[in-house]
Amino acid sequence: MSKIVARGAGVVSGMIGGAIAGAVFKQVWKLVAGTDEAPQATSDEYGWGEVLVAAAVQGAIFGVVKAALDRSTSRSVHRAIGG
């Protein structure tokens, strides 16, 4: 039963984390680049450098948010159900 609770909490945490990471990235990109939209990999108006920098920043933010939420969720579940 505890594995089911932990898995469900992980799924919810992942969805929330994705939304948080997306919002954080949008604000960081706006602050750093001065534009509202980050370059899309499929857009011809941006060069390789811009696209890869945007992807690296987005990946780093997503990774940090995911790790923080996974860790927090895991500790909370363990405290709540024991183990």
Side-chain angles (χ1 to χ4, degrees):
M1 181 65 174
S2 64
K3 287 184 180 184
I4 294 170
V5 171
R7 188 167 292 167
V11 168
V12 171
S13 170
M15 291 169 49
I16 292 169
I20 291 170
V24 170
F25 171 69
K26 188 171 186 168
Q27 293 302 313
V28 168
W29 190 260
K30 191 184 297 186
L31 184 70
V32 171
T35 62
D36 287 340
E37 296 295 320
Q40 298 296 314
T42 57
S43 176
D44 288 336
E45 73 180 88
Y46 301 103
W48 278 92
E50 294 168 301
V51 169
L52 295 180
V53 167
V57 170
Q58 187 175 28
I61 290 170
F62 180 79
V64 168
V65 169
K66 182 177 178 351
L69 284 176
D70 284 352
R71 179 71 176 174
S72 176
T73 301
S74 174
R75 292 180 61 89
S76 296
V77 167
H78 284 290
R79 268 195 296 269
I81 62 176

